[in-house]
Amino acid sequence: MNIYLVELIVFLLLALFVTIIFKVKKNHKLKLILFTLFIIFSVSISGTYLLEKPHVYIVSPEINLQINQYSEIKVPHTTYHMKDVTSSVKIIGTVDYNKVGTYKIEYEVPTIVGEYNVEQTINVVDSIKPTITLKGDKVYNLSYSAKYDELGFTVEDNSFEDLTQKVKISKEEITDTEYDIIYSVEDSSGNTAVERRKVLIVDDIAPVISINGSANMRILVNSTYTEKGATAIDEKDGDLSDKIEISGKVNTSKVGEYKIKYTVSDKSGNKAETTRKVVVYKESTNPSSSGTGVIYLTFDDGPSSSITPKILDILKEKNVKATFFVLNYNSSLEYLIKREYNEGHSIGIHGYSHVYSEIYKSDEAFMNNVTKLQKKIAATIGYSPTIIRFPGGSSNTVSKNYNKGIMSRLSKTVIDAGFRYYDWNVSSGDAGGAQTSAQVYNNVVNNLSKSRSNVVLMHDFGGNTKTLNALADIIDYGLENGYIFKPITKDTPMVTHHISN
Ligand code: ZN
């Protein structure tokens, strides 16, 4: 009931009673009854008024507050005798907002008859799960050749509890190339958090392409370029040579520099690329036809199964023709004589035998040694060579031990018999002083001269890797420095030593 209305009614009744009491002067009995009624009525009204309780509008007897998220409890709206008395309400009791727990407080409202208290329960709770933050990529590409190193994490919780040591890390295999790393943690209120990092095992290693033959080729204009391709090996996928794509063309009819590009990708898309440089060059008109600036590479004492095929490979790749002064060969090496001949090299006679004591014991023995091999070569390739290199050279003095003056005679005899003989003016030292490929290389290139024809003495006997390994560089040097390479033919001017026996 409206308290103001009550007050008004009380006032009006009071006024009415006072009026009636004064009007019924003579009836004392009635006066007494009315007065008694007035007293009773006044007391009951006053009692109701005095005993009315304030109204505290609490939301709920229990309030849940997240830990660390609340700093002050608001006093609930409170009325007393229809008036807003919120501002005079006091909070009794304390709450530790940083600690999970149940706290009791009271709202205390002052009234006419004393303090009126309303209880309130505050539950400080932690129902928020921790937060795990992963360092590094959530989807991590790991090279199959590498080991996974934990990338780390941070963990935060609203309770400010340090949960770092509580984080459990486990691994879950998904497929052969994929797994999850699971980070899980539980705070002291039982809130759990889980994070996952996906690790994808990837092949990020490109294949390796090796060019077959030389990566720096030189070929004579109007000759044939043969694409030898390349080999590609991938650590994971193995041999990918079939998948190599070759692009670029060599126009062999036009001098210039060409590039052949080899590209290949492995199954994971790692791409490898390499390039072969092919220089198409024109044989210079200067050096002159007299042979100046020409290099005649000569190989003695072959053929050998270990060295001769590889020398032929290099000569073929460089498109350089040379001369082989051969010794007797058995039938298993016939193919090398044929190959030398078929690939455009010259074949000369070194001798059926190389044994000085036998070949230089007489003029006849020497000539037989020459013609015996000549016939054998003719039987192998259908061509009879007429160029000779004397074992030990025409300047040898070892023949003195077996026949005095024989070299002076033979040098004429061979020519009378239709042969021409060739000594050398550049010695690679590969049968003597040179110990390494570098020494062979230097012995040759340091003694070349543009002002003459250069006959280079080398050997293709078995095991002569010094020369084999220097050959490509020697040829490159010659080509880059304007020399031309030719095989010795019967028309090549003789290069001879001074005869000393
Ligand atoms: Zn020899």
Side-chain angles (χ1 to χ4, degrees), residues 182-297:
I182 302 163
Y183 304 78
S184 60
V185 71
E186 183 176 339
D187 68 15
S188 45
S189 297
N191 302 299
T192 58
V194 177
E195 268 296 328
R196 280 173 179 258
R197 187 195 304 280
K198 190 163 283 301
V199 177
L200 300 173
I201 298 165
V202 296
D203 172 12
D204 57 354
I205 298 176
V208 175
I209 303 179
S210 309
I211 287 177
N212 297 334
S214 174
N216 286 295
M217 276 183 79
R218 290 179 61 91
I219 59 168
L220 193 60
V221 70
N222 294 325
S223 63
T224 311
Y225 172 72
T226 309
E227 178 55 60
K228 287 184 177 173
T231 308
I233 303 294
D234 185 62
E235 275 193 46
K236 196 144 191 268
D237 301 343
D239 191 340
L240 297 175
S241 303
D242 300 354
K243 304 246 174 6
I244 295 176
E245 285 180 20
I246 303 175
S247 63
K249 277 218 163 76
V250 177
N251 183 353
T252 54
S253 61
K254 199 179 164 201
V255 169
E257 188 176 306
Y258 300 90
K259 284 189 168 143
I260 306 292
K261 199 193 267 183
Y262 303 85
T263 53
V264 72
S265 295
D266 66 16
K267 280 179 193 155
S268 304
N270 299 298
K271 196 175 167 188
E273 184 181 304
T274 192
T275 304
R276 188 202 303 271
K277 191 173 95 179
V278 182
V279 173
V280 176
Y281 71 97
K282 192 175 174 186
E283 208 168 292
S284 168
T285 49
N286 172 43
S288 71
S289 57
S290 67
T292 53
V294 176
I295 296 172
Y296 298 96
L297 298 176

Side-chain angles (χ1 to χ4, degrees), residues 162-427:
D162 183 1
L163 299 173
T164 309
Q165 299 304 318
K166 287 193 176 177
V167 174
K168 288 182 183 134
I169 300 179
S170 60
K171 185 174 161 182
E172 185 183 313
E173 300 280 349
I174 310 291
T175 67
D176 284 351
T177 58
E178 180 184 343
Y179 60 84
D180 284 0
I181 296 173
I182 302 163
Y183 304 78
S184 60
V185 71
E186 183 176 339
D187 68 15
S188 45
S189 297
N191 302 299
T192 58
V194 177
E195 268 296 328
R196 280 173 179 258
R197 187 195 304 280
K198 190 163 283 301
V199 177
L200 300 173
I201 298 165
V202 296
D203 172 12
D204 57 354
I205 298 176
V208 175
I209 303 179
S210 309
I211 287 177
N212 297 334
S214 174
N216 286 295
M217 276 183 79
R218 290 179 61 91
I219 59 168
L220 193 60
V221 70
N222 294 325
S223 63
T224 311
Y225 172 72
T226 309
E227 178 55 60
K228 287 184 177 173
T231 308
I233 303 294
D234 185 62
E235 275 193 46
K236 196 144 191 268
D237 301 343
D239 191 340
L240 297 175
S241 303
D242 300 354
K243 304 246 174 6
I244 295 176
E245 285 180 20
I246 303 175
S247 63
K249 277 218 163 76
V250 177
N251 183 353
T252 54
S253 61
K254 199 179 164 201
V255 169
E257 188 176 306
Y258 300 90
K259 284 189 168 143
I260 306 292
K261 199 193 267 183
Y262 303 85
T263 53
V264 72
S265 295
D266 66 16
K267 280 179 193 155
S268 304
N270 299 298
K271 196 175 167 188
E273 184 181 304
T274 192
T275 304
R276 188 202 303 271
K277 191 173 95 179
V278 182
V279 173
V280 176
Y281 71 97
K282 192 175 174 186
E283 208 168 292
S284 168
T285 49
N286 172 43
S288 71
S289 57
S290 67
T292 53
V294 176
I295 296 172
Y296 298 96
L297 298 176
T298 67
F299 298 92
D300 289 8
D301 298 358
S304 70
S305 58
S306 63
I307 298 297
T308 308
K310 291 170 183 166
I311 283 179
L312 285 167
D313 289 346
I314 294 170
L315 294 171
K316 190 177 186 182
E317 186 191 312
K318 301 286 183 184
N319 198 30
V320 160
K321 307 303 177 196
T323 305
F324 292 86
F325 287 107
V326 303
L327 294 175
N328 183 37
Y329 49 90
N330 65 40
S331 58
S332 70
L333 296 180
E334 274 179 3
Y335 79 100
L336 288 171
I337 303 293
K338 287 177 182 166
R339 191 177 157 195
E340 287 167 358
Y341 183 69
N342 292 336
E343 293 182 2
H345 306 295
S346 284
I347 295 176
I349 296 162
H350 202 33
Y352 196 87
S353 164
H354 202 289
V355 180
Y356 295 132
S357 61
E358 290 173 10
I359 64 175
Y360 290 135
K361 71 183 176 192
S362 69
D363 296 29
E364 195 186 21
F366 183 83
M367 292 312 290
N368 282 339
N369 191 53
V370 167
T371 52
K372 195 175 177 185
L373 183 61
Q374 187 189 36
K375 281 174 185 152
K376 180 159 180 177
I377 294 167
T380 304
I381 58 172
Y383 171 79
S384 295
T386 56
I387 58 174
I388 291 175
R389 171 164 288 154
F390 289 108
S394 67
S395 57
N396 81 77
T397 51
V398 68
S399 56
K400 263 186 204 167
N401 300 333
Y402 314 109
N403 193 318
K404 225 162 185 217
I406 190 170
M407 296 318 297
S408 301
R409 295 192 304 277
L410 287 177
S411 60
K412 294 184 177 66
T413 308
V414 294
I415 289 168
D416 290 345
F419 294 100
R420 287 162 77 86
Y421 71 91
Y422 296 84
D423 289 312
W424 57 89
N425 51 23
V426 178
S427 176

Side-chain angles (χ1 to χ4, degrees), residues 6 10 13-14 17 21 30-50:
V6 172
V10 168
L13 286 172
L14 186 64
F17 269 108
I21 288 165
L30 182 63
K31 225 184 238 183
L32 184 66
I33 292 164
L34 288 171
F35 192 73
T36 304
L37 283 171
F38 170 70
I39 294 302
I40 292 166
F41 190 72
S42 297
V43 167
S44 73
I45 292 297
S46 304
T48 306
Y49 182 73
L50 289 172

